[in-house]
Amino acid sequence: MSQSLVDDPAEAAPGLARPAGAGLGPEPGRRVDVRRLLRFVVRRPGLLVSVVVLVLVVLASFRPDLFTSQDPLKGVPSQNFRGPSGSHWFGTDELGRDVFSRVVHGAQLSLKATLIAVLVAFVVGGLLGVVAGFVGRWVDDVLMRFVDVLLSIPALFLSLALVTALGYGTVKVAVAVGIASVASFARVARAEVLRVRQAVFVEASRASGARWYSVLGRHVLPNAAGPVIVLATLDFGSSILAVSALSFLGYGAPPPAPEWGTLISDGRNYLANAWWLTALPGLAIAATVLATNRLARALDGEWSRQR
């Protein structure tokens, strides 16, 4: 009986996800899953638009030349403050630089900082949560009190304090934003580890003589990772806003680097006669954040119910 529980944990605990790699069928089964995923996306127009937006943003960050051939740093003074048109989709700025080109090239800087921030929060916060939930006892108390201290400080204030101590720059802004998000990842990871640790198949694995690292790697982590990954997707949008806010305040890459927050900051002095300098980069940020949040909501609830 114990062996069957270990071999097929999904039967022992129906409410828990099957560990990674368990019960994978042959290649036709995987094709069916892909078709289900495509149907799931196509039947939701909002989700489909969000996926398209995110794909375009990712492509812009890796291959900006697919969208524009203009130099984001080179301006034509005689064409300054030109409104949006066929030749300049997002208009031009005070130096005659193409704003669309700057937004496209700025995606690389902003997404690089966002990815670093989410990775720092995911790794550090997830590690703290897993250790606290799996070890328990006084280790759990000490780590969770540290997390409570982080939660008591507003994330933006904590990011400002950290980036002031670390210094200016894209990577330092990303690290500061990531550390400010560690607490939420730690609490979610700890809660999931505690839930999975009490499952029947985990107890059966321990009773059968499995080592603690085997239980952790084969059963606890695969079944606890889902909500943490969803949180990382949701935190991606929040990190974009935080990185853009710090860049807006001047803590990001120095000019003339076209970070999204810097573009909005540069254009705020010309709102009266050049609204596109702030509105269109801000629209790019808003579209990316909304698309990320829509994808996270689909992963968190809608796709789980479909399965």
Side-chain angles (χ1 to χ4, degrees):
M1 183 63 180
S2 298
Q3 183 65 29
S4 63
L5 289 173
V6 175
D7 292 339
D8 195 3
E11 294 182 2
L16 297 176
R18 187 184 299 269
L24 291 178
E27 195 63 27
R30 294 183 182 180
R31 288 197 295 268
V32 171
D33 290 340
V34 172
R35 288 198 295 267
R36 286 184 57 204
L37 179 61
L38 291 176
R39 287 198 303 267
F40 174 80
V41 174
V42 170
R43 290 175 181 176
R44 292 162 174 80
L47 179 59
L48 180 60
V49 172
S50 300
V51 171
V52 171
V53 169
L54 291 177
V55 169
L56 291 177
V57 171
V58 172
L59 284 176
S61 64
F62 286 99
R63 293 292 303 275
D65 55 294
L66 294 177
F67 299 89
T68 179
S69 59
Q70 301 194 46
D71 189 344
L73 305 180
K74 183 179 180 181
V76 181
S78 61
Q79 296 184 4
N80 63 337
F81 293 123
R82 297 292 177 90
S85 62
S87 56
H88 302 285
W89 290 1
F90 284 10
T92 61
D93 61 7
E94 70 278 7
L95 299 179
R97 296 172 296 191
D98 184 68
V99 177
F100 178 74
S101 176
R102 289 176 64 76
V103 170
V104 170
H105 284 81
Q108 183 177 17
L109 294 173
S110 297
L111 285 191
K112 171 188 174 183
T114 302
L115 287 173
I116 294 175
V118 173
L119 184 62
V120 169
F122 183 85
V123 173
V124 177
L127 182 61
L128 290 176
V130 168
V131 172
F134 193 76
V135 177
R137 299 187 295 276
W138 64 269
V139 176
D140 184 16
D141 294 335
V142 171
L143 292 179
M144 285 303 102
R145 297 301 74 77
F146 172 71
V147 169
D148 291 339
V149 171
L150 292 180
L151 286 174
S152 65
I153 306 173
L156 184 57
F157 290 166
L158 182 58
S159 299
L160 283 171
L162 291 172
V163 79
T164 302
L166 295 174
Y168 297 2
T170 302
V171 175
K172 295 175 181 178
V173 164
V175 172
V177 172
I179 294 176
S181 303
V182 162
S184 57
F185 280 85
R187 293 188 72 88
V188 172
R190 173 182 178 271
E192 288 302 309
V193 169
L194 288 176
R195 178 183 66 84
V196 176
R197 194 182 67 174
Q198 299 172 359
V200 177
F201 64 88
V202 174
E203 296 295 335
S205 180
R206 286 175 171 173
S208 65
R211 302 282 186 176
W212 66 268
Y213 50 83
S214 177
V215 174
L216 180 63
R218 293 184 57 189
H219 301 296
V220 176
L221 289 182
N223 286 281
V228 184
I229 294 175
V230 172
L231 178 61
T233 307
L234 188 60
D235 189 68
F236 192 87
S238 303
S239 296
I240 291 177
L241 291 177
V243 168
S244 299
L246 292 177
S247 299
F248 178 86
L249 295 174
Y251 292 99
E259 278 190 335
W260 285 351
T262 305
L263 294 179
I264 298 177
S265 178
D266 292 342
R268 60 180 172 170
N269 297 323
Y270 307 101
L271 282 173
N273 62 331
W275 56 268
W276 56 87
L277 296 181
T278 54
L280 297 181
L283 182 62
I285 295 174
T288 305
V289 173
L290 290 175
T292 304
N293 291 347
R294 180 65 183 90
L295 180 62
R297 184 158 60 90
L299 292 175
D300 187 25
E302 298 173 12
W303 177 247
S304 299
R305 289 193 295 268
Q306 287 288 322
R307 298 177 68 185

